[in-house]
Amino acid sequence: MILTVDVGNTQIKAAVFEGDTILERFVFDKKALEKKIEKILEKFETIAHLVVSSVAYVEKQSFLAFEDKVKVHFVSNEDSFPFSNNYGTPKTLGIDRMVLAAGATLLYPNQNRLIIDAGTCVTYDFVDENNVYQGGAIAPGLRLRYESLNQFTAKLPLLTLQSPESYIGKSTAESIHSGVVNGLVYEIDGFIDEYKAACTKIIIILTGGDADFLAKRLKNTIFANSNFLLESLSQTFQYKIKND
Ligand SMILES: Nc1ncnc2c1ncn2[C@@H]1O[C@H](COP(=O)(O)OP(=O)(O)O)[C@@H](O)[C@H]1O
Ligand SMILES: CC(C)(COP(=O)(O)O)[C@@H](O)C(=O)NCCC(=O)O
Ligand SMILES: [K+]
């Protein structure tokens, strides 16, 4: 049994895996980290490995504190991955993006793959059918868009996520919801259209905290799986064990 932990810039996601099956999934914030891990390890006594991928500031010690109970692994850019990397700056490629690319490569062999992760940022990652990671894009996520409109203007309020009625906003609030939500939806659909035009066959995976909210609003029908990063983390770990 393994415990995978994904430390994002907004929140921490974790899942207990028995083989490829998720037994339980957890979402919590950084402040709760050690207490949560302790509770999970108490509940699932047969967890042998703790596999961590982090793009945010958390002390390694918060995980190493459990070394007497489990083997702790921090996935890093130096690990072996099932794709070759054509990114210009491979050392600065986010480890979450590398893990997503690895998961897509292993779970969807011999095809072009686009992974869209709608979290704090919206990241796009493309691994081609020859298992070459080619790159993608980084854009602000939904929450970040609402917050930056508020932070960088004098007059715009901070609103919480709400589905716009129409693309024509009839008030300040409606205009913001339309700009943020419809803007991101059109953006994602636009990227998908570009990739589809360039590749005859491509699998597209949408993940992240806003995946379900966005999936039903896209013009393109695509598969939303909010557990894809955790599943990819489990795949990456299994790959590493086999190849080390
Ligand atoms: N309870 C929540 N707390 C914070 N963000 C949430 C919550 N539920 C949904 N979200 C949305 O999920 C996004 C964060 O997604 P997530 O994939 O967890 O990000 P990250 O991996 O960057 O931490 C936020 O932009 C927000 O719109
Ligand atoms: C782009 C990111 C901030 C996304 O983080 P997230 O939204 O998952 O919290 C992260 O993947 C990162 O720090 N990347 C480094 C730059 C790069 O990937 O090229
Ligand atoms: K992301």
Side-chain angles (χ1 to χ4, degrees):
M1 216 180 264
I2 71 164
L3 172 60
T4 57
V5 181
D6 155 35
V7 184
N9 285 292
T10 300
Q11 50 193 7
I12 302 180
K13 281 73 62 187
V16 178
F17 280 87
E18 174 84 80
D20 289 340
T21 308
I22 294 183
L23 299 184
E24 196 168 343
R25 185 185 191 277
F26 307 85
V27 183
F28 46 92
D29 66 30
K30 278 174 224 157
K31 278 178 273 165
L33 177 62
E34 289 195 39
K35 276 230 161 76
K36 276 280 178 188
I37 304 271
E38 193 179 325
K39 280 232 164 89
I40 298 168
L41 295 181
E42 265 168 27
K43 182 167 178 187
F44 298 92
E45 286 177 337
T46 56
I47 293 173
H49 300 277
L50 171 56
V51 186
V52 183
S53 137
S54 172
V55 291
Y57 295 111
V58 257
E59 295 290 335
K60 277 196 163 178
Q61 193 49 42
S62 302
F63 296 101
L64 294 173
F66 300 99
E67 261 185 328
D68 55 331
K69 296 193 181 77
V70 289
K71 197 153 188 276
V72 182
H73 312 262
F74 297 99
V75 180
S76 89
N77 294 51
E78 273 74 52
D79 287 351
S80 46
F81 285 87
F83 54 84
S84 58
N85 201 338
N86 206 19
Y87 205 52
T89 57
K91 287 194 178 130
T92 69
L93 175 57
I95 193 64
D96 55 344
R97 302 178 67 192
M98 298 213 35
V99 168
L100 290 168
T105 305
L106 295 166
L107 292 165
Y108 301 99
N110 311 315
Q111 52 196 304
N112 295 300
R113 310 101 173 158
L114 172 67
I115 312 101
I116 305 169
D117 183 343
T120 312
C121 298
V122 180
T123 52
Y124 300 80
D125 294 293
F126 178 59
V127 189
D128 72 18
E129 58 193 349
N130 301 312
N131 296 342
V132 182
Y133 177 82
Q134 297 290 5
I138 301 170
L142 275 181
R143 178 95 208 117
L144 200 52
R145 289 175 198 225
Y146 278 110
E147 283 195 358
S148 46
L149 288 178
N150 171 248
Q151 272 193 28
F152 296 100
T153 64
K155 305 246 165 114
L156 298 185
L158 177 61
L159 302 182
T160 49
L161 177 62
Q162 200 177 301
S163 206
E165 301 273 311
S166 157
Y167 60 96
I168 306 170
K170 297 284 196 191
S171 64
T172 301
E174 280 184 23
S175 298
I176 292 174
H177 291 305
S178 178
V180 170
V181 177
N182 291 326
L184 182 54
V185 166
Y186 298 148
E187 179 178 305
I188 294 174
D189 270 324
F191 271 113
I192 292 174
D193 290 346
E194 288 289 340
Y195 279 96
K196 279 188 171 168
C199 308
T200 44
K201 204 169 170 269
I202 185 165
I203 169 133
I204 300 164
I205 301 141
L206 178 62
T207 191
D210 291 314
D212 293 328
F213 178 86
L214 291 165
K216 49 180 180 262
R217 292 172 171 82
L218 295 174
K219 174 190 75 179
N220 285 283
T221 316
I222 61 167
F223 178 51
N225 175 3
S226 50
N227 290 330
F228 193 70
L229 184 41
L230 292 165
E231 287 169 7
S232 296
L233 205 43
S234 158
Q235 291 293 321
T236 304
F237 177 65
Q238 291 176 44
Y239 178 84
K240 182 182 149 83
I241 296 279
K242 271 189 224 138
N243 290 277
D244 274 357

